Amino acid sequence: MSQEELVFEESQQGIKIVFWGPTLAGKTTALSLFHAIKKKEDPESVYNFLKLEDKATERTIGFDQATFGLGTGSKGFKYHLFTTPGQDRFKSMRKIVINGLHGMIVVIDSEKARWEENKVSLKELFDILGDKLYSREVKMAIMLNKMDLPVDTRISAADVGRLMIEAGVSDKLRDTFASTFEVSCLEALNALKEAWSRGEWNPKNRPQPVQRIIQPIQMVIRDILVSELQKPSQ
Ligand SMILES: Nc1nc2c(ncn2[C@@H]2O[C@H](COP(=O)(O)OP(=O)(O)O)[C@@H](O)[C@H]2O)c(=O)[nH]1
Ligand SMILES: [Mg+2]
């Protein structure tokens, strides 16, 4: 099956959410974390997880894709999470991956040195999908990753508005910039490992860094479901 057919087929049922961002921003790590948590808490809700990377270099060679069920033992509703490959040469694949999406997690690399890469990535996103993001047909959350970096080498949520404006994004989405989720996949991974090695895990009281990764994803899922429910039935 070609990648195009796979992406198309997987998104036929349920909802589709895509992680977008420059290469090495942490998209694959965030999706892997989400997958690990679901597998721990509710293994029946995990359908599949496909990570396309070169094992030797750990570099992405395509997109990642994972499918989950909403609620346990549910017959029907599935949600599909995809990541886009960030490298220049994957521009056409990115367009294929975002085809038919309902929601978007925009991953920004908080490292100051990555400001330009973040800008280029945002510009491309809004060139392709700006109308649907402004009209909120596609739901969106912003994940500002790598907040574990030393303060003087990284930006914070307060800088995201400026980054967006520099990338040519209209401030129509000002409230979305303002609700940027500051996360650290690295801290989440450490917290997860530590809790699991102690044999302690309570889904109702997850470690803070882990909860921060889950929140934007849950928010986008909720926003999509609310708007799907409000649509007149066809
Ligand atoms: N310091 C730090 N590094 C991270 C964090 N999240 C991911 N990384 C690292 O950044 C690199 C790229 O991550 P990856 O998930 O493959 O990025 P992708 O290209 O966006 O899929 C890897 O070496 C990760 O270990 C984080 O929160 N903090
Ligand atoms: Mg990746």
Side-chain angles (χ1 to χ4, degrees), residues 21-41:
T23 182
L24 302 181
K27 302 175 295 293
T28 300
T29 313
L31 179 57
S32 304
L33 272 164
F34 188 78
H35 174 259
I37 295 158
K38 286 285 153 191
K39 218 171 149 186
K40 175 87 175 171
E41 294 180 355

Side-chain angles (χ1 to χ4, degrees), residues 19 25 27 49 52 69 73 77 103 105-106 117 121 130 142 193 202 222:
F19 289 76
K27 302 175 295 293
F49 182 34
L52 288 180
F77 217 73
I105 312 278
V106 177
E117 284 90 338
S121 163
I142 300 173
K193 281 186 191 156
N202 177 1
R222 191 200 56 212

Side-chain angles (χ1 to χ4, degrees), residues 7-218:
V7 174
F8 184 71
E9 185 158 298
E10 282 301 334
S11 56
Q12 282 304 288
Q13 302 170 317
I15 59 180
K16 176 173 177 181
I17 298 168
V18 178
F19 289 76
W20 179 282
T23 182
L24 302 181
K27 302 175 295 293
T28 300
T29 313
L31 179 57
S32 304
L33 272 164
F34 188 78
H35 174 259
I37 295 158
K38 286 285 153 191
K39 218 171 149 186
K40 175 87 175 171
E41 294 180 355
D42 187 9
E44 281 185 18
S45 74
V46 179
Y47 285 89
N48 74 304
F49 182 34
L50 178 76
K51 218 174 359 174
L52 288 180
E53 68 179 18
D54 177 357
K55 287 263 181 293
T57 60
E58 289 194 0
R59 294 297 294 233
T60 302
I61 49 172
F63 58 88
D64 315 299
Q65 184 266 331
T67 299
F68 306 94
L70 215 53
T72 37
S74 62
K75 278 211 185 107
F77 217 73
K78 288 184 185 167
Y79 58 103
H80 309 278
L81 302 185
F82 288 79
T83 70
T84 48
Q87 291 93 332
D88 283 351
R89 67 179 190 281
F90 289 129
K91 192 165 180 177
S92 57
M93 196 193 286
R94 285 195 283 280
K95 277 196 176 157
I96 296 171
V97 172
I98 64 171
N99 209 355
L101 87 173
H102 302 86
M104 166 99 8
I105 312 278
V106 177
V107 183
I108 296 176
D109 190 329
S110 71
E111 193 178 343
K112 273 186 185 161
R114 303 295 311 282
W115 183 268
E116 282 306 310
E117 284 90 338
N118 285 317
K119 234 163 80 176
V120 168
S121 163
L122 286 166
K123 260 193 187 133
E124 184 184 321
L125 172 62
F126 278 81
D127 278 351
I128 305 174
L129 215 64
D131 292 347
K132 288 187 175 166
L133 291 167
Y134 291 134
S135 69
R136 302 186 196 247
E137 185 185 330
V138 171
K139 314 298 175 205
M140 170 178 158
I142 300 173
M143 205 185 237
L144 181 62
N145 189 31
K146 308 196 187 175
M147 292 303 286
D148 56 277
L149 293 175
V151 162
D152 56 337
T153 67
R154 62 156 174 84
I155 60 167
S156 66
D159 302 304
V160 167
R162 189 162 54 89
L163 179 68
M164 293 282 183
I165 304 291
E166 276 191 27
V169 179
S170 154
D171 67 2
K172 276 191 259 179
L173 289 173
R174 193 182 285 273
D175 54 338
T176 309
F177 310 162
S179 66
T180 295
F181 293 85
E182 293 185 333
V183 307
S184 164
C185 288
L186 188 71
E187 283 172 5
L189 200 61
N190 289 338
L192 199 115
K193 281 186 191 156
E194 200 191 309
W196 289 357
S197 70
R198 284 198 313 262
E200 282 171 19
W201 191 261
N202 177 1
K204 292 204 168 65
N205 187 21
R206 301 179 184 117
Q208 261 305 315
V210 173
Q211 189 58 18
R212 279 202 209 112
I213 305 287
I214 305 256
Q215 268 168 348
I217 303 168
Q218 272 178 343

